[in-house]
Amino acid sequence: MSRLERKARELKAEEARIVECLDGNRNLIALFPEVVLQRLKANIRQQQDLRNEVDRQTEVTLEQAKRVKQAERLVADAQMERDRIMELEELHEVIEHYARQRDFSAP
């Protein structure tokens, strides 16, 4: 993402330099109208492509974050279930222990 953002800043800066140069020297437009127009169009296309790629990367990142969150929930649920089972086993052991200690024979 940072690479894409850096490239977008570079393209914006290039566009600003082209426009600034053209504003400062109107003769360039007259001498190279097609070249200037092609370069500006190419720059705009590249910026659009970068925006599309940023959007795509954002979707991928969000999907990965959703999967991570889902996995975290599953792990937490599994840990809670494991803890519940362990508590039940401990309770069972305590009950068994006290049940064996009593002598139910008649005096």
Side-chain angles (χ1 to χ4, degrees), residues 6 8 11-12 17 19 24 32 34 50 58 63 73-74 76 80-81 91 94 96:
R6 184 176 59 250
L11 288 170
K12 274 290 191 192
R17 283 192 305 273
V19 170
F32 307 105
E34 200 58 37
L50 277 174
T58 300
E63 184 61 34
R73 275 189 240 122
L74 290 172
M80 285 176 39
E81 183 64 18
L91 179 61
V94 168
E96 287 290 320

Side-chain angles (χ1 to χ4, degrees), residues 18 22 39 41 43-44 46-47 60 62 73-74 87 91 97-98:
I18 292 170
L22 293 175
R39 185 60 204 138
K41 283 182 179 180
N43 185 288
I44 290 169
Q46 287 176 328
Q47 288 183 46
V60 167
L62 287 174
R73 275 189 240 122
L74 290 172
E87 289 171 358
L91 179 61
H97 174 74
Y98 282 105

